[in-house]
Amino acid sequence: PLIKVTSLPLNAIGLLQKKESLENQKIEIEQSFLNLQMEKANIANLELSNFKQAINFLKLEKFSLIFFSPKYYSSTGLLTDVIFNVKTQELQGVKLNAAVISSGGLYGRVTSINKNNISIISIFNLNSRIPVYTKSSNIYGLASGSGFEIYFTYPNDTFANLIDGEEVWTSGENGLIISEIPFGTLKKIDNKYTIIPFVKTRPLVLGIINDKNDK
């Protein structure tokens, strides 16, 4: 009994020290989280600044662009990089199939507008079919996403004219997406061509071309 009585203050001190340690850890975690958020915001601001500078290079300054920070969603299977629930209040005037771009070029397109939300799919998405053409050989075809790669579908009789490494841009055919947006470069694999996109995956800032019918 004597040992139990004399050990009570020590137990209390130990509990206080443990509580203080936990509180300090909580403060450190919260501060680390705030630092990460600030770093992310700084990176996003820098990316937005670079994006706006790239508009002239992309020759898209004549269009009305709406910039936003996306939240990404990946479904199971091959339907990757779908952006859901972007509030239309932030994106007034957005139209179906409007081009979605990053500082490197085309990222995807708007696929649905439903009341207060819109959905966007990337060029990697299985449902993505973008009319494109090759800059050097001037071959028109489709950039088709597979979930992991992007394949260039083209007329069979033009295979010999394609150039490994040449640039691919949007063609504007079928009125799906405006023409002359940089897309990527051709890469020959066996007897097929894939497209290596200019855009990186999941950029922090994207822009929507507000009116695809602008001139």
Side-chain angles (χ1 to χ4, degrees):
L2 180 61
I3 294 174
K4 290 182 179 178
V5 171
T6 56
S7 65
L8 285 175
L10 295 177
N11 290 337
I13 291 172
L15 289 173
L16 287 173
Q17 290 176 338
K18 186 175 181 180
K19 181 180 179 181
E20 184 179 356
S21 176
L22 289 174
E23 288 178 348
N24 289 335
Q25 290 180 28
K26 180 182 177 183
I27 293 172
E28 289 177 1
I29 292 172
E30 290 176 345
Q31 186 60 50
S32 296
F33 178 77
L34 289 174
N35 291 339
L36 286 173
Q37 292 297 101
M38 290 177 62
E39 183 179 355
K40 183 178 179 181
N42 290 335
I43 293 173
N45 288 334
L46 179 60
E47 189 165 328
L48 177 59
S49 177
N50 293 336
F51 195 169
K52 290 181 177 180
Q53 292 179 16
I55 294 302
N56 290 332
F57 172 76
L58 298 175
K59 297 182 179 179
L60 297 172
E61 65 275 5
K62 61 184 177 180
F63 296 101
S64 175
L65 283 158
I66 301 173
F67 300 98
F68 70 103
S69 296
K71 293 183 179 179
Y72 296 95
Y73 167 84
S74 289
S75 61
T76 58
L78 301 179
L79 302 179
T80 59
D81 281 8
V82 183
I83 303 171
F84 287 132
N85 299 327
V86 179
K87 300 299 183 182
T88 53
Q89 290 91 334
E90 303 171 11
L91 305 173
Q92 292 294 328
V94 171
K95 295 184 178 181
L96 195 63
N97 290 321
V100 182
I101 63 173
S102 76
S103 57
L106 186 69
Y107 178 83
R109 62 186 175 91
V110 175
T111 53
S112 70
I113 302 173
N114 183 18
K115 295 182 179 179
N116 293 327
N117 299 298
I118 68 173
S119 298
I120 296 168
I121 61 172
S122 77
I123 52 179
F124 282 99
N125 193 285
L126 190 64
N127 290 327
S128 179
R129 300 288 187 274
I130 307 295
V132 294
Y133 78 103
T134 56
K135 272 288 186 177
S136 299
S137 56
N138 199 37
I139 304 300
Y140 285 71
L142 283 178
S144 305
S146 70
F148 304 101
E149 293 183 306
I150 302 171
Y151 291 98
F152 181 50
T153 307
Y154 49 88
N156 292 332
D157 58 349
T158 61
F159 177 81
N161 297 325
L162 293 171
I163 302 170
D164 190 22
E166 68 174 310
E167 291 189 355
V168 178
W169 290 45
T170 60
S171 66
E173 288 193 327
N174 303 327
L176 185 64
I177 283 181
I178 63 171
S179 62
E180 300 305 314
I181 301 177
F183 193 103
T185 57
L186 277 187
K187 181 179 180 181
K188 187 177 180 181
I189 301 177
D190 297 327
N191 290 324
K192 295 180 180 179
Y193 278 95
T194 61
I195 303 175
I196 308 301
F198 290 130
V199 300
K200 64 180 182 179
T201 58
R202 302 194 170 193
L204 292 177
V205 179
L206 291 173
I208 295 181
I209 297 178
N210 195 26
D211 188 350
K212 68 187 182 69
N213 294 317
D214 282 348
K215 300 295 182 182

